[in-house]
Amino acid sequence: MPTGPNATHVIVFANEKGGTGKSTTAVHVAIALAAKGARVGVLDLDHRQRTVGRYLDNRAATVKRTGTELPMPEHATHTDQTEAGFERLFDQLSENADYLVIDTPGRDDPFARTAAMLADTLVTPMNDSFVDFDLIGQVDPETYKVTRPSFYSEMIWDARKVRAKADGTTIDWVLLRNRLQYVEARNMRRVSDALTQLAKRVGFRIIPGLGERVIYRELFPAGLTMIDSKAFGSMGLAHVAARQELREMMAALALPEPAPVAA
Ligand SMILES: Nc1ncnc2c1ncn2[C@@H]1O[C@H](COP(=O)(O)OP(=O)(O)OP(=O)(O)O)[C@@H](O)[C@H]1O
Ligand SMILES: [Mg+2]
């Protein structure tokens, strides 16, 4: 498995908490990168739900049905659950790719741990909720001050140590706030303050993710995203705003530009 500055940039979406937006965000990032002309591989490690795999299958079916060309990442699902199978798919999908996007299941999973260790960028989506926050840190019930990091932060901390020792890479750990709502709620400020405190302690960056929008739930059957304007025709204001937040999320991820392909 090649790693290092010129190898495929590996982006892993991971959070042991289920339903935080890993798959939705992973699909949008993969398609946004492909739409820029990058070569993108997508590995779905959630062989039970297969959300990302199914999203991209639906997308391929839309291309076939409508005859509209859409940017299309190459994807595979880790169905056999063996180490050899994981390595084979990892190598196959990263071989000619600028980016490899890996989606992981929302539970403790051995391959999710391996993937976290192979990440160049590790994205942990979470919702503005102390229920989601609990996996990465604990807070005092009265002051909401962070009292200590939780097991998931410790696990990522360890993964980073192993990786730094193995090849000197610092995994860029990004905490992505998903389903942001635009009404200022007191709870949001508290979660946000706690995140800022914890970020310094365990070394992650915090970036804004996708907003809370129906559109992110409706595009799945056709495998589309709101950047596929060709397939949509005219767009409403909500789509325009959604595209803008996707652009901002991509910019905040600060992924390296693909290395030029050797002639
Ligand atoms: N920004 C958003 N706006 C509205 N709905 C969203 C948004 N992001 C995710 N959802 C919805 O939330 C649910 C969970 O999202 P998703 O499947 O992406 O999470 P996950 O972390 O991959 O879950 P799991 O841990 O089960 O794999 C889905 O119904 C999805 O459509
Ligand atoms: Mg998922």
Side-chain angles (χ1 to χ4, degrees):
M1 293 189 193
T3 52
N6 292 319
T8 307
H9 190 87
V10 180
I11 312 161
V12 177
F13 290 81
N15 187 344
E16 281 182 18
K17 175 87 178 61
T20 58
K22 293 175 288 297
S23 304
T24 304
T25 321
V27 141
H28 280 80
V29 168
I31 292 173
L33 289 170
K36 281 205 314 188
R39 299 164 308 165
V40 184
V42 177
L43 176 54
D44 191 348
L45 295 185
D46 195 346
H47 65 112
R48 286 160 83 94
Q49 295 194 38
R50 240 172 65 71
T51 308
V52 166
R54 288 185 44 71
Y55 208 112
L56 294 173
D57 285 346
N58 293 348
R59 185 172 178 83
T62 295
V63 169
K64 228 175 166 177
R65 191 176 63 247
T66 62
T68 317
E69 275 306 312
L70 295 171
M72 203 59 208
E74 192 188 330
H75 78 280
T77 303
H78 183 218
T79 42
D80 73 2
Q81 292 294 290
T82 66
E83 242 169 77
F86 176 88
E87 283 182 24
R88 184 175 48 79
L89 291 177
F90 186 97
D91 288 347
Q92 182 190 312
L93 289 165
S94 51
E95 196 182 356
N96 292 309
D98 301 309
Y99 302 97
L100 175 62
V101 172
I102 305 182
D103 188 32
T104 68
R107 55 178 182 272
D108 180 24
D109 175 89
F111 294 107
R113 285 178 187 232
T114 308
M117 251 179 278
L118 293 167
D120 296 305
T121 303
L122 178 66
V123 186
T124 300
M126 68 167 271
N127 302 313
D128 271 314
S129 153
F130 278 113
V131 178
D132 283 17
F133 187 86
D134 196 49
L135 268 79
I136 57 165
Q138 281 163 31
V139 293
D140 180 280
E142 279 169 23
T143 62
Y144 295 96
K145 289 251 180 296
V146 175
T147 52
R148 60 184 214 80
S150 300
F151 70 95
Y152 193 70
S153 293
E154 279 160 8
M155 192 193 101
I156 302 298
W157 184 269
D158 289 341
R160 285 171 124 180
K161 270 201 304 211
V162 172
R163 179 66 181 279
K165 226 172 157 184
D167 68 3
T169 300
T170 308
I171 300 174
D172 183 17
W173 187 16
V174 181
L175 218 298
L176 180 143
R177 298 175 71 192
N178 186 37
R179 308 183 78 153
L180 286 171
Q181 307 209 31
Y182 295 95
V183 275
E184 259 299 298
R186 195 192 304 171
N187 175 62
M188 273 179 70
R189 269 201 310 277
R190 282 180 179 149
V191 174
S192 160
D193 290 347
L195 273 174
T196 310
Q197 284 173 45
L198 191 62
K200 287 191 202 120
R201 208 150 140 185
V202 296
F204 53 72
R205 302 192 281 132
I206 307 163
I207 68 165
L210 306 174
E212 170 69 40
R213 291 180 194 279
V214 181
I215 189 174
Y216 295 121
R217 287 177 253 160
E218 288 190 333
L219 295 173
F220 173 82
L224 293 173
T225 68
M226 60 281 158
I227 50 176
D228 302 309
S229 51
K230 266 201 294 184
F232 273 122
S234 70
M235 286 199 296
L237 272 182
H239 287 198
V240 175
R243 278 178 78 155
Q244 184 55 27
E245 78 200 9
L246 178 62
R247 267 193 217 113
E248 279 164 21
M249 178 179 92
M250 294 304 294
L253 275 175
L255 300 168
E257 288 298 318
V261 183

